Amino acid sequence: MGPEPCTLPPSPNWYCARCSDAVPGGLFGFAARTSVFLVRVGPGAGAIPGTPPFRVIGELVGHMERVSGFTFSHHPGQYNLCATSSDDGTVKIWDVETKKVVTEHALHQHTISALHWSPQIKDLIISGDEKGVVFCYWLNRSDSQHLFIEPRAIFCLTCSPHHEDIVAIGYKDGIVVITDISKKGEIIHRLRGHDDEIHSIVWCPLPSEECLSINQEENSEEPEIPNGKVIAQTPVTKGCYLATGSKDQTIRIWSCSRGRGVMTLKLPFLKRRGGGVDPTVKERLWLALHWPKEQPTQLVSSCFGGELLLWDLTQSWRRKYSLFSASSEGLNHSRIVFNLCPLQTEDGKQLLLSTSMDRDVKCWDMATLECCWTLPSLGGFAYSLAFSSVDMGCLAIGVGDGMIRVWNTLSIKNNYDVKHFWQGVKSKVTALCWHPTKEGCLAFGTDDGKVGLYDTYSNKPPQISSTYHKKTVYTLAWGPPIPALSFGGEGDRPSLTLYSCGGEGIVLQHNPWKFSGEAFDINKLIRDTNSIKYKLPVHTEISWKADGKIMALGNEDGSIEIFQVPNLKLICTIQQHHKLVNAISWHHKHGSQPELSYLMASGSNNAVIYVHNLKTVIESNPESPVTITEPYRTLSGHTAKITSLAWSPHHDGRLVSASYDGTAQVWDTLREEPLCNFRGHRGRLLCVSWSPLDPDCIYSGADDFCVYKWLISMQEHSRPPQGKKSIELERKRLSQPKPKPKKKKKPTSRVPVKQELYDGNEEESIREGSGPVENGVSDQEREEEAQEPEVPCGVAPLVANEPVICTPVSLGLEKAKATVNNKVTLLKKDPPKEKTDTLIKKRKARSMLPLSTSLDHRSKEELHQDCLVLATAKHSKAELKEDVSADLEERFHLGLFTDRVALYRMIEVEGKGHLENGHPDLFHQLMLWKGDVKGVLQTAAERGELTDNLVAMAPVAGYHVWLWAVEAFAKQLCFQDQYVKAASHLLSIHKIYEAVELLKSNHFYREAIAIAKARLRPEDPILKDLYLSWGAILEKDGHYALAAKCYLGATSAYDAAKVLAKKGDATSLRTAAELALIVGENDLSASLAFRCAQELLLVRNWVGAQDALQLHESLKGQRLVFCLLELLTKHLEERQLSEGKSSSYNTWTAGAKGPFVEKVTAIWKSAFSLETPEQCQAACQQLQNIKYPSATSNTPSTQLLLHICHDLTLAVLGQLVASWDTAVEALLRAVVRSYDAGNFTIMQEVYSAFLPEGCDHLKDKLGAQCPTTPAFKSLEAFFIYGHLYEFWWSLSRPCPKSSFWVKATHRKTTSIEQSQQLDNASPEENDIKASQPEPNRPVELDVRLTEESEQILNACKELFSEKHASLQNSQRTVAEVQETLAEMIRQHQRSQLCKSTANGPDKNEPEQEAEQSLSSPQSQCKEEKNETVSLPELTKRLTEANERIAKFPESVKNWPFPDVLECCLVLFHIRSQHPGFMTQEMQQQAQELLQKYSNTKVYRRHFQTFFT
């Protein structure tokens, strides 16, 4: 495989105490998502001279969830071993040389939060989890020890470098414990002082406490006797310092001999760019520490904004520190630092590596405190890649972490020269596009629909378009302004405007000069220019041809539309893909063949890539749009959807594709040949781009958070994985992190934190972009991460364990009842099973005046008093009324017997009682008794308690009150999700449009259409809108038949047929074709019927195919083609020359007898009524309008046979109308197709069926012009060529009998191996004969020629065409020079790689040497010869050859001819076996041609075989 590809890796994981580490010699590793990335640092990295000495050399893959800890073994001799811990509950031990797991354990039951490999014991790995459990694991004996020291969440732990049993553990609440693992975790010291999370613990590199002259802290909070008991002074506790860093913004240094703190360092608030830090605001902080081994009096720490500080510990009374990279602020981290790792390189340099929230890994020189280099990384999917056409080598990367990276891939001093752009982005960057001519102008699109424009050379925020897409921006493209956009006069118009395609299916045109102005929807212009009445398709992709004259739009239904500027006239529709189009790419225009610029590659959610040649369509500029259903080339091999395509700017017809199958594939599109497959990614590929400067280099990005730069020449695979390999890749992708629910256990404050952090930094699809993003990090995400750990431990379990009662609640009034009085609801829902007699009796109705009734059932004295008060009230004088009224207020129930005012007061009190007891219906009835209907309605509406009864009574209060009540009730019903009932009430007050809109907005389309149809005029536009809206939703959900009904209802029959055909199976296509025919869409009907026939052709259902084609008269020609194809297939099956078996044949194939052509014409007359020359001419005209692309060796056999039969049908029709020129040309095209495809069998079957007597009868028909007809000469030459091979093979069979060609008797002779024979033929010949029987012949024969073979040998003179030999020689020279140039470039790149890795002990070097040694002898031979050829000489050869080709007449160039030298060599092979078979004259002629034209490498060696 060669060296690892250049990698832009995922970001190191955040909020982990130890998830990066390094070992002497220059190996550094950091945890990123579910794996660990390894980086070689120093002279052994094999970096390009002059660039920073580091290189990403591999990845440790195996964990299923986030890696939370990583540590190397720091024991000499086993630096290759390391350990990782993960949220999947495992601790794995790895060998970094093999990148394989040595062993693993899953002892922890809870999330592992700390890990360290003991620096004293070679095989001891210690890990701690969130519940405070510590496991000691001895690798060599696979033994473990369980320790439960404190019931607290462990945050970090570090083994002592001086004593093998001592471990320091830091906890979430700020406690630090020093424990002895040999004594079952006995606590030696409990160090109190910090009051927040312990982020880092480091031991002093020297064992004694004499290295620092510091006294015990004066204000120490530690008691004199730690832990309440005196601890004996052992060597363990004597003489060692410990430093801890905490979230409480302090660093504390502790004395182990005294068990207390001796120094506290408070982090300073440093002034940074953009203003100082407010000490009162609690900043996010992670405090990482490193105690340098060589400088024990100094300590390195991180600070608030990512700065690194070097503290001087020699003077305890002065807090003195130095700032790293003080001279150049731009080199510091811009966010908090998580890990600090020391590393000593092979040349003795002391380095420090830091990982940070800013997603950079930085390397610092401890001697100078300056930053040596930076390794950037990605915090999200790599969605988009774009190379600038102006700033060559500038690669823009759109990432899901809300940042754009611009990578200067040409930087000589830094191979990771990456700039970050985050201002104004605030979301995933899904699309990028550089301006073709303006320097530094980069357009970007985001997943929230934003389109912006960055100037990468300034620090200004981007311009943001005022028009947003409703969904994700899929694609951006620069193209010429279309007239509909009013830019003012010609001078005021920009030369290029920006086009964006969004997920809602709209393409917008933005004016880059007026980004604040409204963008223009190009659908308006498309509809107006082309007078389109049907629904326009949902657009998913846009691509402009390089000359800016043609625009291609890809659509959700798989179609591609080609438009012409200036008015976007539709000239062509390509119906090839039948799923959403993801990528369209036009071939560049600067190749050696200008016509290739008309090639357009496209990929969709299907795994097949199609290439179309649109030269004919574009140049002919048709009046009405053309429909294309046949591709120029088909590239099959991927097993999942295609996401991105890019043409090589260095080659003709070379394409790279990215796919969800996890691979990138390089194709030779002209030969339909897969060349190279890259499998380095661990996820689904999203984007791919070819380097504009290096022909061998490609960049690809994926959802594994990586961008890889890889070399084509270094890949070992040539095609995408199939079968088992594909399954392995799928497993590899599935090993990526997924948000999994945690095990059912009591949640602690730590668990949600892990999930949040994991989702925030690792699982982009869940958390990315959840809040405003600043510098690639969501502030909302950060706040959650900062605050989540603060949740008290006891809260979550209480909430989780609380029982929850879920009772079904009915809608409407009953819902309100349930909320007011749960007891009543529960009683109704849960009655006892056995009812008593009393309960069975009918329950008495609830009293309307329960309070008054209860007051009338009091004691006798009270009742008597009521009577007196009432009598006084009724009969007292006016002056006593006031005294009585006070008594009446207390005894409100007497209002029933006094005046109306008192009665109203009684009703009011009773009503309040009903409401308090949860009986609003009784309250409403009381109000109705009172006569206040309007008040009742208002109160009920405010409380959401309107009912059908209340609304029914509303007319009592008047017409307007009734209208208002119905509207209020409808709103209430909407809140209760009773939309249909609400619409019915709106209908009762004649609000039809409101009712329909209500149902439509809540997706009750069926009901809305029923109402609209019943109550509105048939021509009302809202009805059509309903049908179209419902149809679009049904189409999106895959209910195509129902969607088609909707479109028919909306009189959009075209859309109905299109949507029916969307499923793509034969039945759907047949129905769609019939539907289109009924509604008069004839062109669509014909194309769908033909597609249906092609689908049935794949399963060889001939009867069904003919039935489908019978639908449309314009397909008469295709019926003839399918008839001929059926007969030919049956003929091949009978001769056992065809794979597969036909499911059914038409009845007319059974009785047909006689020669093949006569059978065909007889069936055409009987079954298809093809009798008159006019009918033949019409069918011929239909078929001549269809042009199929030329074949390649990778063309599928079904497609090849169809295309051949198309040509053969034209040939037969030409014979029937006596148009012999047409017949000859069509027959030649069929022969050449089989020749190009390498299918010799089909070629010979065509000749035996159509020219059983040879070409002589055609010569007679063509008349005197025959000998000069180039097409006839080519046809005759191929006829002779085929028979020549058959003759040769008949001589080469192991034990041939007398045959058509020879009369044979046995005799012994020397054998001639097949390999030599095939070696001595051209590569084209090898392809053709690959499937033929082996011509090894241990026994030779005495053979004599038959008359037929003598005729063939004599006719071989026709193959000795001087002009064709010369043309073919020139074409071979051009191909050879181009191949030589490509080989020279590859050799140069290999030599550069060899130089760069020559000094380093890179493990990949032997592989590289092996790969070079495995290269073919042929290529080695070429390399030897190439050494003497200079570049000017090659250029001269190329120019001369092209000039020679240009001089040949078009008639010679247009019609293919068998390879003349190949035929000469075959004849010499026959002569070597049977010298008498070849005349002296022929021998002389063939030898002269070989001598004259075998100067290319292909034939030079073969010529020498015979004539030296």
Side-chain angles (χ1 to χ4, degrees), residues 1072-1084:
E1074 288 182 21
L1075 190 152
L1077 186 64
I1078 292 166
V1079 300
E1081 294 285 354
N1082 292 334
D1083 291 345
L1084 180 62

Side-chain angles (χ1 to χ4, degrees), residues 42 47 61 71 258 282 312 331 357 513 563 769 829 1041 1345:
V61 180
T71 174
R258 286 173 279 182
K282 192 171 182 182
D312 184 354
L331 294 176
M357 188 183 263
W513 291 358
F563 297 92
K829 291 289 175 189
L1345 297 180

Side-chain angles (χ1 to χ4, degrees), residues 232-243:
Q233 296 295 311
T234 65
V236 173
T237 57
K238 271 187 181 178
C240 191
Y241 286 120
L242 183 74

Side-chain angles (χ1 to χ4, degrees), residues 1130-1289:
K1130 187 177 183 184
H1131 174 69
L1132 293 173
E1133 284 179 5
E1134 286 169 355
R1135 297 195 57 191
Q1136 297 182 342
L1137 296 172
S1138 173
E1139 296 175 5
K1141 199 76 178 168
S1142 296
S1143 55
S1144 63
Y1145 283 113
N1146 284 288
T1147 51
W1148 32 257
T1149 59
K1153 292 180 182 178
F1156 189 81
V1157 177
E1158 289 179 17
K1159 273 198 296 188
V1160 170
T1161 51
I1163 291 171
W1164 284 0
K1165 285 178 183 176
S1166 60
F1168 300 97
S1169 305
L1170 193 77
E1171 295 170 352
T1172 65
E1174 289 76 17
Q1175 289 176 323
C1176 295
Q1177 190 64 48
C1180 193
Q1181 191 62 43
Q1182 283 178 8
L1183 295 177
Q1184 280 176 333
N1185 292 332
I1186 301 168
K1187 304 290 182 189
Y1188 288 126
S1190 56
T1192 69
S1193 56
N1194 293 291
T1195 303
S1197 58
T1198 310
Q1199 185 181 325
L1200 176 67
L1201 271 175
L1202 176 64
H1203 294 178
I1204 286 173
C1205 288
H1206 180 273
D1207 293 325
L1208 293 175
T1209 305
L1210 279 170
V1212 177
L1213 287 169
Q1215 290 180 29
L1216 291 175
V1217 297
S1219 175
W1220 295 101
D1221 286 342
T1222 305
V1224 167
E1225 290 176 7
L1227 198 53
L1228 176 60
R1229 278 198 300 273
V1231 170
V1232 171
R1233 272 187 207 286
S1234 53
Y1235 174 76
D1236 289 342
N1239 199 321
F1240 190 83
T1241 305
I1242 297 292
M1243 187 171 92
Q1244 292 306 94
E1245 287 302 317
V1246 167
Y1247 273 125
S1248 65
F1250 286 82
L1251 296 173
E1253 305 298 328
C1255 302
D1256 291 341
H1257 77 287
L1258 285 176
K1259 194 180 293 187
D1260 299 336
K1261 298 288 184 184
L1262 286 164
Q1265 294 295 319
C1266 157
T1268 59
T1269 307
F1272 176 77
K1273 287 187 72 68
S1274 291
L1275 182 65
E1276 188 178 32
F1278 275 109
F1279 177 81
I1280 299 164
Y1281 170 84
H1283 282 76
L1284 178 64
Y1285 264 108
E1286 283 194 340
F1287 172 57
W1288 179 32
W1289 285 333

Side-chain angles (χ1 to χ4, degrees), residues 177 208 381 467 493 648 794 828 915 1003 1091 1246 1261 1270 1371 1375 1460 1480:
V177 165
S208 71
F381 295 1
T467 310
R493 290 164 59 128
S648 164
K828 285 183 180 179
L915 288 175
H1003 300 290
R1091 268 182 62 193
V1246 167
K1261 298 288 184 184
Q1371 290 168 338
V1460 177
Q1480 193 65 35

Side-chain angles (χ1 to χ4, degrees), residues 790-810:
E790 313 287 351
V791 179
C793 292
V795 175
L798 285 174
V799 175
N801 295 331
E802 188 178 51
V804 180
I805 299 170
C806 298
T807 57
V809 180
S810 61

Side-chain angles (χ1 to χ4, degrees), residues 348-403:
K349 272 191 178 180
Q350 296 295 333
L351 304 176
L352 184 68
L353 292 140
S354 56
T355 65
S356 163
M357 188 183 263
D358 65 8
R359 308 193 189 282
D360 281 342
V361 176
K362 287 185 180 286
C363 177
W364 308 85
D365 188 336
M366 287 300 292
T368 62
L369 304 189
E370 292 298 324
C371 180
C372 309
W373 48 261
T374 301
L375 171 62
S377 64
L378 308 181
F381 295 1
Y383 283 107
S384 180
L385 294 173
F387 268 106
S388 170
S389 57
V390 183
D391 310 310
M392 296 299 275
C394 266
L395 174 65
I397 308 168
V399 189
D401 58 10
M403 285 198 279

Side-chain angles (χ1 to χ4, degrees), residues 76-220:
Q78 62 177 47
Y79 290 152
N80 60 311
L81 295 181
C82 63
T84 56
S85 63
S86 167
D87 290 352
D88 62 15
T90 63
V91 172
K92 295 181 189 284
I93 318 299
W94 306 77
D95 184 337
V96 295
E97 290 180 358
T98 61
K99 300 183 180 68
K100 303 288 185 195
V101 176
V102 176
T103 185
E104 64 179 277
H105 74 74
L107 300 169
H108 288 279
Q109 297 298 308
H110 305 282
T111 305
I112 304 167
S113 53
L115 181 75
H116 195 205
W117 196 303
S118 169
Q120 283 283 314
I121 303 174
K122 273 190 172 185
D123 65 338
L124 174 61
I125 299 103
I126 300 180
S127 53
D129 64 32
E130 291 180 343
K131 291 294 184 183
V133 176
V134 174
F135 274 101
C136 304
Y137 180 78
W138 285 270
L139 170 65
N140 293 344
R141 50 192 171 134
S142 295
D143 192 12
S144 63
Q145 180 183 6
H146 170 280
L147 303 172
F148 187 61
I149 298 155
E150 291 273 333
R152 311 168 191 271
I154 294 173
F155 240 67
C156 59
L157 63 81
T158 308
C159 302
S160 167
H162 313 303
H163 195 286
E164 62 184 31
D165 295 327
I166 302 300
V167 179
I169 304 172
Y171 291 92
K172 180 187 166 89
D173 58 4
I175 296 292
V176 178
V177 165
I178 300 175
T179 181
D180 186 338
I181 58 172
S182 66
K183 299 176 181 176
K184 295 186 179 177
E186 178 186 316
I187 296 174
I188 298 171
H189 293 298
R190 185 179 281 106
L191 307 175
R192 299 179 185 274
H194 291 295
D195 55 11
D196 213 333
E197 301 162 0
I198 305 297
H199 291 158
S200 181
I201 297 177
V202 290
W203 292 86
C204 177
L206 297 182
S208 71
E209 293 187 358
E210 296 167 7
C211 59
L212 297 178
S213 56
I214 51 179
N215 300 318
Q216 180 182 332
E217 222 179 323
E218 290 178 11
N219 300 324
S220 171

